[in-house]
Amino acid sequence: MQEQISQIKEKALEAIQNAKDAKELDEVRVQYLGKKGELTLILRSMGGLSPEERPVVGSLVNQVRDELEAKIEEGEKSFANKAIEERLATENIDVTEPSKKMTLGSVHPITQVVNDVKDIFIGMGYQIADGPEVELAIYNFDKLNTPPDHPARDVQDTFYITDDIVLRSQTSPVQARVMESQKPPIKIICPGSVYRSDSVDATHSPVFHQIEGLVIDKNISMADLKGTLAMFAKKCLGEKTEIRFRPHHFPFTEPSAEADVSCFVCGGKGCRVCKGEGWIELLGCGMVHPNVLRNCGIDPEEYSGFAFGFGVERIAMAKFGIDDMRLLYENDIRFLKQLR
């Protein structure tokens, strides 16, 4: 049997030497070292040997196997190196040829505005607050002094999941949650998505973005509110921007106001952007209603505060001179490239 093993070894080494490529080399490995290979069959037939012959034959087979595996591995490396050399010799790369043009994306205008507003208010000492978009009606309405018969609570205006759960129609519920969990002084802005049952047109969408602000402390007045919004308008829309208040009504503020800014395009003279009025409606604001403070566990005799809220899309439209809100959602690259 030792002579048979030697013959197998010689034939295998000769086959390895004569292999023309990696495929033939693998065929040699299978022929001699595979599950049904010639050397493997020798090991399986050792049961018929005497106890004295088995260790000798076993040692010899293992020695031959190791030698053949080493030669095959050496051959595989040789063929792999040869393939690389042939590829390098036949493939040509012109490093001076212009590369393919890569189109880089940019921050969406809505995100630009949100980031800019955050930076402005963080610089004024505000914190960022967040809350659930699927909200309890008690936070979306009741704690904000919005009675059950208020039109905003109709199914025509608000998306109801159940009688007590809604898709938030403003980010004001975040303010209520913060007032419940945190003692004054409070100074926050609440950016996020909101949902209202509106038809899509140039100025309305059932899903849009809103940023609301809230300040609660001792001796807060309307003057603090106007000064804050004047500073914001100048930082966001330009240093020459002026602000004015118009009386309005909101259930969660008293007194309430609509805040307009002077047209940043014409400077108040009247143009297409401001529709000839010289002013652009920007946001709603007012002093926090005492009932809202009581509902959230804050004593209105000790503390006062102001709140404001605006649509991010409205700011973006004013800032970039956009006349149709739908352009912000259509993902038209031609449009978005203009606002980089």
Side-chain angles (χ1 to χ4, degrees), residues 183-186 215-220 288 290 293 297-305:
K183 292 183 178 180
I186 297 170
V215 173
I216 303 290
D217 205 346
K218 294 181 178 179
N219 303 316
I220 297 296
V288 179
L293 295 175
I298 296 175
D299 184 359
E301 299 296 327
E302 183 178 2
Y303 293 100
S304 59

Side-chain angles (χ1 to χ4, degrees), residues 130-140 158-162 164-171 173-174 177 192-195:
D130 194 14
E133 295 179 17
V134 180
E135 184 58 276
L136 295 172
I138 189 173
Y139 285 103
N140 199 72
T158 301
F159 291 108
Y160 280 83
I161 296 175
T162 68
D164 300 320
I165 300 175
V166 300
L167 296 181
R168 67 182 183 189
S169 54
Q170 64 265 328
T171 56
V174 180
R177 288 179 176 274
S193 299
V194 296
Y195 308 85

Side-chain angles (χ1 to χ4, degrees), residues 196-208 275 313-314 317 322-330:
R196 294 181 188 175
S197 186
D198 289 331
S199 299
V200 177
D201 59 30
T203 57
H204 296 85
S205 170
V207 183
F208 60 100
K275 299 178 181 178
E313 285 80 356
R314 177 167 291 181
M317 292 171 73
I322 302 167
D323 58 5
D324 193 326
M325 183 188 294
R326 289 169 291 193
L327 292 169
L328 294 168
Y329 302 123
E330 291 174 348

Side-chain angles (χ1 to χ4, degrees), residues 107-122 128-129 189-193 208-212 232 236 310-313 315-316 319-320:
V107 178
H108 192 277
I110 290 178
T111 306
Q112 288 183 44
V113 171
V114 172
N115 291 341
D116 290 345
V117 172
K118 284 182 178 180
D119 289 342
I120 292 169
F121 280 102
I122 288 173
I128 310 299
I189 60 169
C190 320
S193 299
F208 60 100
H209 302 79
Q210 196 176 60
I211 296 178
E212 295 196 15
F232 162 68
C236 185
F310 54 84
V312 176
E313 285 80 356
I315 296 289
K319 188 170 185 177
F320 299 118

